[in-house]
Amino acid sequence: MRGAKSAKWVVGAIVVAMAATACGGGSSDDEGNAAVDPNGVFSYYNTEPQRGLIPTNTNEVGGHYMMANMFRGLVTFDINNKLQMAQAQSVDTTDNKLFTVKLKPGWKFHNGETVTANSFVKAWNWAANAKNAQLNSSWFEAIKGYEDVHPEKGDPKGDTMSGLKVVNDNEFTIELSRPVSTFKERLYYDAFFPLPEAFYKDPKAFGEHPIGNGPYKMEGSWAHKVELKVRKFADYKGDDKPKNGGIDFKFYSKDDAAYADLLSDKIDIMYQVPNSQVAKFKDDLGKRAISQPYGGNTNIAFPLYDKEWGKPEKVKVRQGLSMAIDRETIAKTALKGSKDAATGFTPKGIPGWQDGACGDLCKFDPAKAKDLIKQGGGVPGNKVTITYNADGANKEWVDAVCNDIRQNAGVECVTDAKPTFQESRDLITEKKLSNPFRMAWVMDFPNIANFVTEQFRTGAGANDMGFSDKNVDELMNKADEAKTEDAANKGYFEAEKKIMQDQMPAIPLFTDHTVAGHSKRVQNVKIDYQRQAVWTEVEVKK
């Protein structure tokens, strides 16, 4: 899902909007005043994760939401997007290249094992090692010695990165190969979670039953495609101790079915109601309805590894398809205002955002669209197929986009709905598609870099398109090394513009809203900038 660089979401409009609409209640007893059961369990709408729950091998929201409860990293962000220390007592640097990390002592994993500096260092070295083939290994590329454990070709030269040094049980240092001004904020991402020794004995088994250090621990076994249960961890040392007894994550293949369960109080929190219900969900739920902006986008990505879509001239075709789509009308009609038309990959309000990264290429212009497609030699086979997952709120916009392409570009367009998110993600991450596909992003922390570097840097773990441009990489690296946040953000914006103007590996479509709701059984429900509930704060009524 994830990326980069700000200790707080500094644009006031977004913060105010979130604060004004984050919580709900229904009748008088939904206002946060009902008697609470501190051991009460609530249920949460989710999708079946793509694979086993290993922090460094999960980069989709279904798995992240559960790991975000079972693990805590060095740092975190509060509801207002201010950087906070979590397991770390401090993360200090004077040059953005050498960082000293001191841990809060006494933290435990769910199996009773003590969390030490080595729990972080060993986990990061294992994850970065190419032989372990972790999706999120690229998150460690700035650490000195990464190239030794993850060479571009051939076998690793060693098992450890020279930039990681354990000082004692509660202190370690991180040396980077170049300054990265916001590396501290990157430490929030799941890939930087610690791992217990039990992990290394059988990583596959661990993925089925993770052992974390967070406020909730897994209970029982994972009932695939049905549910996964977590319960509060009595020995959790963090400040955000649960006000409830735990969570039952329910996996749905149809969001309409989940919404029906929400209305009948069979599920307690749904973070994204179906597009088909957006026009009426506030009437259905009253004060239990939640509507607010969040850091997410929706795009169509292209498989540049495909022999046809990877041809240099097809950039004109992708740009032409972009101009055939009337984003504004789709957002207002088919999507009922649940999304806004995108002008780039970065949502408005995110630090570093500037208007017009996409320029005219995201403006509706059928005549120009047809001309560009013709210049690029036409769509392969004169037919566009868009793959998406049917167990999310996607059908309405995919149908509308396809209709626009047919009408405005004169190109046949069909939709390819995969039953589950897991199935579609497997095809995407294994690079088995030869056609465009839905690509959405929920930011890891609020900054433009997260929408640029983690998806479009050569070899990045979330670079599903196989996109590579050394000039773009150089712009990103220069932005990484900038001495001020403002200078860095300007650099990422230049990279964002260049990606679209030169190649457009993905078409920006919409920036997203949280359109959520909760049942009458719970109160004090808040949704953060990642479109996830602040789980530990949820209260279950008696």
Side-chain angles (χ1 to χ4, degrees), residues 291-313:
S291 179
Q292 63 190 47
Y294 86 100
N297 65 22
T298 298
N299 312 308
I300 295 176
F302 292 81
L304 301 190
Y305 51 83
D306 176 72
K307 64 179 181 179
E308 291 296 327
W309 282 113
K311 291 178 178 178
E313 65 269 21

Side-chain angles (χ1 to χ4, degrees), residues 472-536:
V472 170
D473 290 342
E474 289 176 7
L475 287 173
M476 294 178 186
N477 290 340
K478 185 177 179 180
D480 282 347
E481 298 174 21
K483 295 187 180 301
T484 67
E485 183 179 335
D486 184 60
N489 289 344
K490 289 179 180 177
Y492 295 124
F493 179 70
E494 290 303 312
E496 183 180 9
K497 286 197 300 182
K498 190 169 184 62
I499 289 166
M500 279 178 277
Q501 299 299 323
D502 287 3
Q503 292 200 46
M504 192 170 269
I507 295 174
L509 292 178
F510 311 106
T511 55
D512 299 347
H513 297 186
T514 292
V515 184
H518 65 85
S519 74
K520 297 175 183 176
R521 294 185 60 250
V522 293
Q523 63 185 23
N524 199 34
V525 177
K526 303 166 187 169
I527 305 292
D528 69 11
Y529 69 94
Q530 285 184 311
R531 199 181 58 179
Q532 62 192 14
V534 183
W535 290 286
T536 57

